[in-house]
Amino acid sequence: MKKTIAVLPGDGIGPEIIAEAVKILNKIAQVYNYKFEYEYGLIGGAAIDKIGTALPDETLDLCKKTNAILFGAIGDPKYDNDPLSKVRPEQGILGLRLALDLYTNLRPIHIFKSLIDKSPLKPEIVKDVDFVVVRELTGGIYFGKKGRTKNGNSAYDTSVYTKKQVTRISHVAFKLAGQRKSKVTLVDKANVEETSRLWREVVQDIAKSYPQIETEYMFVDNAAMQIIKRPSSFDVLLTDNMFGDILSDEASVITGSLGMLPSASIGDKTALYEPIHGSYPKATGLNTANPIGTILSAAMMLERSFGMTEESKAIYLAVEKVLEEGYGTKDITTDKILGTKELGDKITQAI
Ligand code: IPM
Ligand code: MG
């Protein structure tokens, strides 16, 4: 079987972590006798530097014609500190999500047994953590009208959701819960926001057609607290674009390191796989970044886009084995510290 993959390394540590995921994919291809073809594209700050835009047309075309997309990271501090800049690296990923209609963002929060004592939370609180953040990815405050008043003295961002947008992501969440622990928690701010009240209305209605699923409703401030107090009570955490962004970072650190977590951004035609962390500019080129979030994103790609369940499992098991042996980058071990490349090699050998 042959598959083509658009590879978009992006900024900061992006190229380094992507190289390790590609290494693992090559090993899978070799062991299971597949052919993976990679086509590289520019995105984010790297694309601005060369072409002047964060999402070049060639990159978008590439993403449309390949079987799946593997993405590194995006962001460059030189733009963060320039609030007046018209071009920004983030326009690359946001533009892709919109252009490819990647409305479902899955962020599994899984803790590897050997990393339990790396969590900032007590072992008995984190040991059974296993939930998925289902984040809506194409609506809300990210894509509503934004701007400044004429005199520049006030600014606004608007959050808009349609029933159609909420309906399609909610079905994803309920179906997923059916394959897991049968519980959906809708996280919103329905005591304040009109969009949240629309979410509740739609979800209450949809919940009726999934009687075997328990549905829970929680305000986002409370959810931020419950993720710390009793994280193992969640199964599928359904939420909007902005709340999902914030809560998934919070949830990720309880697993030991932000560098561990993969994600899938799925549309009806294609899907993009990326670690949930950012471009970590300070570590660029140092061979210290944790490649596991990206490697596990490649594993999600095998399972979800190519139906390669066993192959995907093989990657998880290899990561688990290497962690159990005490190896890791410096964010997850003080014992056998490896560089990005060397950790990638270890995991490759373990497959
Ligand atoms: C994420 C990131 C992005 C987001 C940024 C880079 C625009 O934080 O994927 O979580 O806010 O969605
Ligand atoms: Mg984020």
Side-chain angles (χ1 to χ4, degrees):
M1 200 193 310
K2 187 182 122 181
K3 295 286 179 194
T4 56
I5 302 167
V7 181
L8 314 180
D11 303 327
I13 57 168
E16 293 165 66
I17 52 176
I18 279 286
E20 299 318 302
V22 168
K23 207 187 262 175
I24 305 280
L25 287 172
N26 285 337
K27 180 70 182 276
I28 291 286
Q30 182 203 330
V31 173
Y32 293 88
N33 205 15
Y34 297 127
K35 198 166 162 44
F36 295 141
E37 271 179 14
Y38 311 101
E39 295 196 40
Y40 285 78
L42 285 169
I43 194 145
I48 298 175
D49 290 345
K50 289 219 172 82
I51 301 181
T53 146
L55 177 57
D57 292 341
E58 306 88 82
T59 301
L60 185 55
D61 290 344
L62 183 67
C63 292
K64 285 183 181 159
K65 67 170 210 229
T66 43
N67 298 116
I69 307 154
L70 186 64
F71 186 94
I74 219 164
D76 184 328
K78 78 179 176 220
Y79 300 97
D80 298 343
N81 298 328
D82 177 8
L84 297 177
S85 175
K86 288 270 175 282
V87 286
R88 314 191 149 271
E90 290 75 12
Q91 290 159 344
I93 185 69
L94 297 177
L96 263 188
R97 289 173 184 170
L98 207 57
L100 301 172
D101 199 19
L102 306 174
Y103 59 91
T104 301
N105 187 218
L106 301 181
R107 300 188 159 184
I109 312 297
H110 167 80
I111 183 150
F112 285 93
K113 291 260 169 323
S114 51
L115 293 187
I116 285 180
D117 60 352
K118 290 285 168 299
S119 173
L121 301 185
K122 295 191 184 90
E124 64 271 23
I125 292 182
V126 285
K127 70 178 182 2
D128 298 318
V129 166
D130 177 25
F131 65 99
V132 183
V133 177
V134 176
R135 169 187 176 196
E136 200 292 328
L137 207 55
T138 53
I141 203 160
Y142 274 69
F143 296 105
K145 199 167 172 234
K146 53 184 83 233
R148 297 260 177 133
T149 51
K150 273 215 185 78
N151 64 11
N153 289 342
S154 60
Y156 55 90
D157 295 277
T158 42
S159 177
V160 181
Y161 266 109
T162 64
K163 282 192 174 175
K164 200 174 146 200
Q165 281 174 314
V166 179
T167 301
R168 62 182 185 174
I169 188 80
S170 300
H171 281 292
V172 172
F174 278 92
K175 287 196 183 112
L176 184 63
Q179 298 156 13
R180 297 175 44 92
K181 297 181 275 176
S182 300
K183 182 174 170 188
V184 170
T185 305
L186 173 66
V187 171
D188 63 22
K189 190 73 184 171
N191 50 347
V192 176
E193 294 188 351
E194 196 55 38
T195 44
S196 285
R197 289 191 274 272
L198 181 91
W199 273 78
R200 273 210 191 195
E201 187 187 320
V202 171
V203 170
Q204 280 169 353
D205 199 38
I206 290 175
K208 290 183 200 137
S209 46
Y210 296 90
Q212 72 286 13
I213 308 287
E214 180 196 343
T215 313
E216 177 182 61
Y217 301 90
M218 199 180 277
F219 295 144
V220 62
D221 43 355
N222 184 23
M225 204 160 62
Q226 299 308 331
I227 287 174
I228 302 296
K229 279 180 74 176
R230 46 173 192 99
S232 53
S233 68
F234 293 101
D235 177 21
V236 171
L237 191 163
L238 169 65
T239 194
D240 79 4
N241 205 347
M242 181 59 100
F243 297 153
D245 177 48
I246 298 166
L247 294 180
S248 59
D249 266 30
E250 183 195 1
S252 75
V253 292
I254 71 177
T255 69
S257 170
L258 175 64
M260 298 291 297
L261 291 213
S263 78
S265 304
I266 307 168
D268 292 331
K269 294 209 180 80
T270 189
L272 177 150
Y273 299 85
E274 60 169 321
I276 83 159
H277 61 72
S279 60
Y280 195 10
K282 280 194 197 123
T284 306
L286 299 181
N287 193 40
T288 55
N290 187 342
I292 294 180
T294 319
I295 289 171
L296 294 178
S297 299
M300 277 183 99
M301 176 176 79
L302 294 186
E303 185 186 351
R304 302 207 151 253
S305 283
F306 305 160
M308 300 176 183
T309 315
E310 187 192 323
E311 297 79 348
S312 172
K313 188 94 193 283
I315 299 180
Y316 276 93
L317 291 175
V319 168
E320 193 163 53
K321 177 166 181 281
V322 167
L323 294 175
E324 264 161 25
E325 289 167 359
Y327 294 104
T329 37
K330 66 176 170 37
D331 54 319
I332 49 171
T333 187
T334 45
D335 180 14
K336 299 172 181 164
I337 301 177
L338 297 179
T340 310
K341 280 197 194 107
E342 292 70 28
L343 185 56
D345 288 340
K346 269 267 178 267
I347 298 169
T348 310
Q349 283 155 19
I351 287 174

